[in-house]
Amino acid sequence: ELRMRYDRDAQERKALLLERDNALKTAQLDNQGLWQTLWALGAGVLVLTIALMLVLLRRVRETNRALEHSRARLRVQSERDALTGLANRRHVQAALHAGSLAQDFRGALMMIDIDHFKHINDDYGHASGDAVLVEVARRIASVTRGDDIVARWGGEEFLILAPGLAGGDADALAQRVLTAVGGATVGLPDGRSMRVTVSIGHGVFPLPPYRVSVAPEQAVNLADMALYTAKSQGRNRAVGIAQVQADSPAALRAVEADFERAWVDGHVQLRVDAGPPG
């Protein structure tokens, strides 16, 4: 009886150990499955995170491109004349002060003014004045080179900045502008048409024969003085500064201080080209 009881207890212990062993193995399998599930979830989260980061990166790049495009558009708009579509004074001033030009301007400058523009506004109305500005701007731009900057300087004044243009070529360009603007009538919004002419002052800097260095503002001022000489001589003409007898910056400033006197005294030589006859 004792033997039987011992054997039965041994079998129960063995069954209990087997049950515990099975439970342990089951737990190990469950843990392994749990770890596999966790790894799968982690991999899924990682893949999802990478995909989300790629989407966000793409959107950031698209947003940056859109912002850059908007900035470029705003920059262009800020440097363009709204009426004529030409460059404005801000754009020209930036170009004049870029690089070495800020201290030693080199190139051709041409100042252009529409003759009797106030009478156009007074007699035909501001809408007609705007139409004249747009058409004159188009005609000026049509006879310039691709590298030239054509700008509305302000009001009825325009400016051409032509880098690398020689003296004879500048004279030819001035003649083309005179002919392009004054050679055909301009149509007005009310169906009428009128003849429009311009006066031009220009120079190729540094000025011969001494080629004294000039700042951009001084070059613009000298071209502007040549323009007013053209207007004082009867308009519809181009006046180019051919030579200036100034061998130093001080001598050139003296010419600039009284341009007309310097011309009368022979210190400034001008070239005059008439526009198309009326």
Side-chain angles (χ1 to χ4, degrees):
E1 184 179 356
L2 288 174
R3 177 79 178 181
M4 291 175 62
R5 185 180 298 173
Y6 177 80
D7 291 342
R8 186 170 59 252
D9 291 342
Q11 289 177 356
E12 289 178 356
R13 286 195 299 272
K14 185 183 291 186
L16 182 59
L17 289 172
L18 183 60
E19 183 179 352
R20 289 179 177 176
D21 186 60
N22 289 335
L24 182 60
K25 290 181 179 180
T26 300
Q28 289 176 344
L29 291 174
D30 290 342
N31 287 337
Q32 185 178 1
L34 179 61
W35 277 109
Q36 290 177 347
T37 302
L38 290 175
W39 276 108
L41 288 174
V45 170
L46 180 61
V47 171
L48 183 61
T49 302
I50 293 174
L52 183 61
M53 289 178 64
L54 291 174
V55 171
L56 290 176
L57 181 61
R58 186 181 301 112
R59 289 186 177 179
V60 168
R61 287 178 177 175
E62 291 175 353
T63 301
N64 287 338
R65 282 196 295 267
L67 288 174
E68 183 61 31
H69 179 72
S70 297
R71 282 195 294 265
R73 186 173 65 251
L74 289 173
R75 186 166 56 250
V76 169
Q77 290 175 351
S78 70
E79 296 183 354
R80 288 283 160 184
D81 176 61
L83 177 63
T84 63
L86 298 179
N88 61 15
R89 183 187 288 252
R90 176 184 297 178
H91 180 85
V92 174
Q93 288 176 334
L96 287 172
H97 291 85
S100 61
L101 293 182
Q103 301 298 328
D104 184 14
F105 176 75
R106 294 180 176 274
L109 266 177
M110 193 166 292
M111 300 293 295
I112 306 167
D113 186 84
I114 300 176
D115 296 330
H116 305 296
F117 185 74
K118 184 178 183 302
H119 294 304
I120 297 175
N121 278 330
D122 293 343
D123 297 342
Y124 294 90
H126 288 281
S128 295
D130 288 347
V132 168
L133 286 170
V134 171
E135 179 60 16
V136 169
R138 187 195 67 80
R139 294 184 186 186
I140 293 173
S142 70
V143 298
T144 57
R145 306 172 305 168
D147 294 337
D148 299 339
I149 296 177
V150 183
R152 185 181 178 191
W153 190 244
E156 67 273 20
E157 281 193 339
F158 299 88
L159 179 146
I160 300 176
L161 171 59
L165 200 65
D169 294 333
D171 296 333
L173 175 59
Q175 188 62 62
R176 291 199 302 272
V177 171
L178 289 171
T179 303
V181 176
T185 59
V186 175
L188 302 180
D190 60 5
R192 292 181 293 175
S193 62
M194 64 176 301
R195 182 170 182 264
V196 178
T197 61
V198 293
S199 298
I200 302 173
H202 62 92
V204 178
F205 301 89
L207 295 167
Y210 295 102
R211 302 190 178 278
V212 175
S213 296
V214 297
E217 293 81 3
Q218 192 175 18
V220 171
N221 195 32
L222 287 166
D224 202 41
M225 291 177 179
L227 166 64
Y228 280 97
T229 300
K231 296 181 79 68
S232 67
Q233 289 186 358
R235 298 181 172 84
N236 188 27
R237 67 196 61 212
V239 172
I241 305 174
Q243 289 190 2
V244 175
Q245 300 302 320
D247 57 359
S248 67
L252 189 57
R253 285 193 297 270
V255 169
E256 187 181 1
D258 195 342
F259 187 82
E260 185 175 0
R261 170 57 60 185
W263 173 46
V264 172
D265 292 343
H267 298 302
V268 175
Q269 297 180 26
L270 301 177
R271 173 190 171 100
V272 181
D273 294 292

mmCIF file of all heavy atoms in Angstrom, residues 181-201:
data_model
loop_
_atom_site.group_PDB
_atom_site.id
_atom_site.type_symbol
_atom_site.label_atom_id
_atom_site.label_comp_id
_atom_site.label_asym_id
_atom_site.label_seq_id
_atom_site.Cartn_x
_atom_site.Cartn_y
_atom_site.Cartn_z
ATOM 1 N N VAL A 181 10.411 105.886 -82.882
ATOM 2 C CA VAL A 181 9.349 106.605 -82.178
ATOM 3 C C VAL A 181 8.675 107.621 -83.089
ATOM 4 O O VAL A 181 7.439 107.692 -83.166
ATOM 5 C CB VAL A 181 9.913 107.307 -80.924
ATOM 6 C CG1 VAL A 181 8.819 108.144 -80.257
ATOM 7 C CG2 VAL A 181 10.464 106.285 -79.946
ATOM 8 N N GLY A 182 9.464 108.435 -83.783
ATOM 9 C CA GLY A 182 8.885 109.528 -84.554
ATOM 10 C C GLY A 182 8.532 109.194 -85.986
ATOM 11 O O GLY A 182 7.948 110.029 -86.687
ATOM 12 N N GLY A 183 8.864 107.989 -86.440
ATOM 13 C CA GLY A 183 8.636 107.655 -87.842
ATOM 14 C C GLY A 183 7.223 107.242 -88.178
ATOM 15 O O GLY A 183 6.865 107.158 -89.356
ATOM 16 N N ALA A 184 6.399 106.972 -87.181
ATOM 17 C CA ALA A 184 5.013 106.565 -87.428
ATOM 18 C C ALA A 184 4.140 107.107 -86.313
ATOM 19 O O ALA A 184 4.583 107.291 -85.177
ATOM 20 C CB ALA A 184 4.902 105.036 -87.497
ATOM 21 N N THR A 185 2.887 107.400 -86.636
ATOM 22 C CA THR A 185 1.968 107.940 -85.640
ATOM 23 C C THR A 185 1.608 106.865 -84.609
ATOM 24 O O THR A 185 1.760 105.664 -84.841
ATOM 25 C CB THR A 185 0.686 108.455 -86.299
ATOM 26 O OG1 THR A 185 0.059 107.375 -87.014
ATOM 27 C CG2 THR A 185 0.991 109.589 -87.260
ATOM 28 N N VAL A 186 1.118 107.333 -83.472
ATOM 29 C CA VAL A 186 0.704 106.445 -82.392
ATOM 30 C C VAL A 186 -0.819 106.474 -82.296
ATOM 31 O O VAL A 186 -1.424 107.550 -82.216
ATOM 32 C CB VAL A 186 1.329 106.898 -81.050
ATOM 33 C CG1 VAL A 186 0.798 106.037 -79.898
ATOM 34 C CG2 VAL A 186 2.843 106.834 -81.122
ATOM 35 N N GLY A 187 -1.422 105.285 -82.288
ATOM 36 C CA GLY A 187 -2.875 105.208 -82.162
ATOM 37 C C GLY A 187 -3.320 105.451 -80.738
ATOM 38 O O GLY A 187 -2.673 105.017 -79.781
ATOM 39 N N LEU A 188 -4.440 106.176 -80.584
ATOM 40 C CA LEU A 188 -4.969 106.508 -79.267
ATOM 41 C C LEU A 188 -6.234 105.693 -78.988
ATOM 42 O O LEU A 188 -6.872 105.175 -79.920
ATOM 43 C CB LEU A 188 -5.277 108.010 -79.196
ATOM 44 C CG LEU A 188 -4.084 108.942 -79.476
ATOM 45 C CD1 LEU A 188 -4.526 110.400 -79.382
ATOM 46 C CD2 LEU A 188 -2.939 108.660 -78.508
ATOM 47 N N PRO A 189 -6.635 105.575 -77.730
ATOM 48 C CA PRO A 189 -7.808 104.755 -77.402
ATOM 49 C C PRO A 189 -9.097 105.211 -78.061
ATOM 50 O O PRO A 189 -9.995 104.397 -78.308
ATOM 51 C CB PRO A 189 -7.896 104.888 -75.868
ATOM 52 C CG PRO A 189 -6.513 105.211 -75.421
ATOM 53 C CD PRO A 189 -5.934 106.044 -76.525
ATOM 54 N N ASP A 190 -9.222 106.515 -78.372
ATOM 55 C CA ASP A 190 -10.462 107.010 -78.982
ATOM 56 C C ASP A 190 -10.478 106.868 -80.498
ATOM 57 O O ASP A 190 -11.388 107.372 -81.164
ATOM 58 C CB ASP A 190 -10.698 108.473 -78.591
ATOM 59 C CG ASP A 190 -9.563 109.391 -79.040
ATOM 60 O OD1 ASP A 190 -8.641 108.907 -79.730
ATOM 61 O OD2 ASP A 190 -9.588 110.593 -78.688
ATOM 62 N N GLY A 191 -9.481 106.222 -81.057
ATOM 63 C CA GLY A 191 -9.436 106.008 -82.500
ATOM 64 C C GLY A 191 -8.604 107.019 -83.251
ATOM 65 O O GLY A 191 -8.262 106.798 -84.418
ATOM 66 N N ARG A 192 -8.276 108.112 -82.610
ATOM 67 C CA ARG A 192 -7.421 109.093 -83.260
ATOM 68 C C ARG A 192 -5.961 108.632 -83.204
ATOM 69 O O ARG A 192 -5.626 107.657 -82.521
ATOM 70 C CB ARG A 192 -7.563 110.457 -82.583
ATOM 71 C CG ARG A 192 -8.905 111.112 -82.770
ATOM 72 C CD ARG A 192 -8.969 112.466 -82.087
ATOM 73 N NE ARG A 192 -8.912 112.354 -80.625
ATOM 74 C CZ ARG A 192 -8.863 113.386 -79.801
ATOM 75 N NH1 ARG A 192 -8.845 114.633 -80.297
ATOM 76 N NH2 ARG A 192 -8.820 113.211 -78.492
ATOM 77 N N SER A 193 -5.091 109.322 -83.903
ATOM 78 C CA SER A 193 -3.662 109.031 -83.862
ATOM 79 C C SER A 193 -2.903 110.342 -83.823
ATOM 80 O O SER A 193 -3.424 111.392 -84.227
ATOM 81 C CB SER A 193 -3.229 108.195 -85.070
ATOM 82 O OG SER A 193 -3.448 108.900 -86.272
ATOM 83 N N MET A 194 -1.692 110.288 -83.347
ATOM 84 C CA MET A 194 -0.889 111.494 -83.263
ATOM 85 C C MET A 194 0.577 111.130 -83.448
ATOM 86 O O MET A 194 0.993 109.994 -83.224
ATOM 87 C CB MET A 194 -1.091 112.183 -81.913
ATOM 88 C CG MET A 194 -0.621 111.377 -80.720
ATOM 89 S SD MET A 194 -0.788 112.281 -79.168
ATOM 90 C CE MET A 194 0.220 113.706 -79.504
ATOM 91 N N ARG A 195 1.349 112.120 -83.866
ATOM 92 C CA ARG A 195 2.784 111.924 -84.019
ATOM 93 C C ARG A 195 3.474 112.265 -82.709
ATOM 94 O O ARG A 195 3.173 113.280 -82.086
ATOM 95 C CB ARG A 195 3.335 112.802 -85.150
ATOM 96 C CG ARG A 195 4.829 112.609 -85.410
ATOM 97 C CD ARG A 195 5.248 113.319 -86.690
ATOM 98 N NE ARG A 195 6.661 113.108 -86.963
ATOM 99 C CZ ARG A 195 7.627 113.963 -86.621
ATOM 100 N NH1 ARG A 195 7.317 115.098 -86.012
ATOM 101 N NH2 ARG A 195 8.896 113.697 -86.914
ATOM 102 N N VAL A 196 4.381 111.400 -82.287
ATOM 103 C CA VAL A 196 5.120 111.578 -81.043
ATOM 104 C C VAL A 196 6.608 111.552 -81.363
ATOM 105 O O VAL A 196 7.070 110.707 -82.148
ATOM 106 C CB VAL A 196 4.779 110.469 -80.030
ATOM 107 C CG1 VAL A 196 5.600 110.633 -78.757
ATOM 108 C CG2 VAL A 196 3.289 110.465 -79.706
ATOM 109 N N THR A 197 7.359 112.452 -80.770
ATOM 110 C CA THR A 197 8.815 112.463 -80.941
ATOM 111 C C THR A 197 9.482 112.434 -79.570
ATOM 112 O O THR A 197 8.843 112.678 -78.538
ATOM 113 C CB THR A 197 9.293 113.704 -81.712
ATOM 114 O OG1 THR A 197 8.939 114.890 -80.975
ATOM 115 C CG2 THR A 197 8.652 113.765 -83.094
ATOM 116 N N VAL A 198 10.768 112.159 -79.585
ATOM 117 C CA VAL A 198 11.533 112.128 -78.338
ATOM 118 C C VAL A 198 12.816 112.918 -78.506
ATOM 119 O O VAL A 198 13.303 113.136 -79.620
ATOM 120 C CB VAL A 198 11.887 110.676 -77.919
ATOM 121 C CG1 VAL A 198 10.634 109.902 -77.551
ATOM 122 C CG2 VAL A 198 12.683 109.958 -78.997
ATOM 123 N N SER A 199 13.354 113.346 -77.367
ATOM 124 C CA SER A 199 14.688 113.945 -77.314
ATOM 125 C C SER A 199 15.589 113.000 -76.532
ATOM 126 O O SER A 199 15.141 112.342 -75.590
ATOM 127 C CB SER A 199 14.640 115.316 -76.637
ATOM 128 O OG SER A 199 13.817 116.213 -77.366
ATOM 129 N N ILE A 200 16.862 112.936 -76.950
ATOM 130 C CA ILE A 200 17.788 111.953 -76.384
ATOM 131 C C ILE A 200 19.091 112.636 -76.010
ATOM 132 O O ILE A 200 19.605 113.481 -76.748
ATOM 133 C CB ILE A 200 18.071 110.823 -77.402
ATOM 134 C CG1 ILE A 200 16.776 110.132 -77.813
ATOM 135 C CG2 ILE A 200 19.067 109.816 -76.827
ATOM 136 C CD1 ILE A 200 16.963 109.116 -78.938
ATOM 137 N N GLY A 201 19.630 112.245 -74.854
ATOM 138 C CA GLY A 201 20.987 112.619 -74.463
ATOM 139 C C GLY A 201 21.747 111.352 -74.137
ATOM 140 O O GLY A 201 21.229 110.466 -73.450
#
